[in-house]
Amino acid sequence: MPADIHAFFDSYRNAFNRLDGRAVSAHYDCPAMIVDSGGNSVYLDAAALDANNLALCAHYEKDAFVRTDFAERNCLTLGDQFCVVDLAWTITRKDQSPQQFNTAYSLAKRDGHWKVAAVTAYEERRPGTQA
C-alpha cells in the first residue's frame, strides 16, 4: 500500500479510536455509499455522514469499545486518482474477544486528498442489521 494511503487509513483509524464521528466523516467524499448485508446506504452530504458516524461511534462506545486496528489485505491503485483497498480490522472491547472482519474501500483523490467514495462492509455486522 502506498505510504499516503496508509497514512490516510492511520488517520481514519485514529478518528475511530477517539470515537470522533465527525472526524470519521471527514475521510469521506460526498456523496458516499456504504454497502452491507442490509443493503446500500447513500450519504449525500456531510450532515448525513455525520449522523451515521456519530451513531456508529455512540454504538461502539456503548459496546465497550477500546480500540481498532487494521492490516492491509489487498491494495489496487488505479492511476493516480483512485484506489481500492481491502483491510482486515480488529476491534478490541473490554472483557470480550476481539472482533475481526474485512472491509473494502473505494478511494478517490479529491483536491489532493484521499477520500472514501464507497465502503463494502462485507463481513462486519453493522448496528441494526441481522446478518
Side-chain angles (χ1 to χ4, degrees):
M1 175 184 319
D4 61 335
I5 295 171
H6 196 278
F8 171 83
F9 282 110
D10 281 342
S11 176
Y12 185 69
R13 177 210 51 220
N14 293 344
F16 271 111
N17 285 343
R18 293 189 311 272
L19 295 174
D20 184 344
R22 285 187 177 84
V24 171
S25 294
H27 291 83
Y28 283 78
D29 196 12
C30 287
M33 182 184 295
I34 298 176
V35 178
D36 62 28
S37 61
N40 301 344
S41 299
V42 178
Y43 300 92
L44 298 175
D45 55 37
L49 276 166
D50 282 348
N52 177 71
N53 289 316
L54 288 167
L56 182 58
C57 287
H59 168 79
Y60 282 168
E61 186 172 27
K62 285 192 272 188
D63 199 30
F65 178 92
V66 173
R67 68 172 289 107
T68 191
D69 291 293
F70 70 89
E72 176 186 352
R73 289 174 37 89
N74 293 296
C75 180
L76 175 63
T77 55
L78 304 167
D80 295 334
Q81 301 296 313
F82 303 97
C83 185
V84 178
V85 179
D86 187 20
L87 298 179
W89 288 97
T90 300
I91 294 178
T92 303
R93 292 180 173 87
K94 293 177 190 166
D95 302 320
Q96 297 179 37
S97 296
Q99 177 189 4
Q100 297 179 321
F101 57 90
N102 302 319
T103 302
Y105 300 84
S106 292
L107 304 181
K109 196 171 269 190
R110 302 293 186 226
D111 297 321
H113 302 282
W114 289 109
K115 296 288 184 173
V116 175
V119 175
T120 303
Y122 64 96
E123 287 186 344
E124 182 184 14
R125 188 167 105 35
R126 304 280 293 174
T129 65
Q130 297 299 316

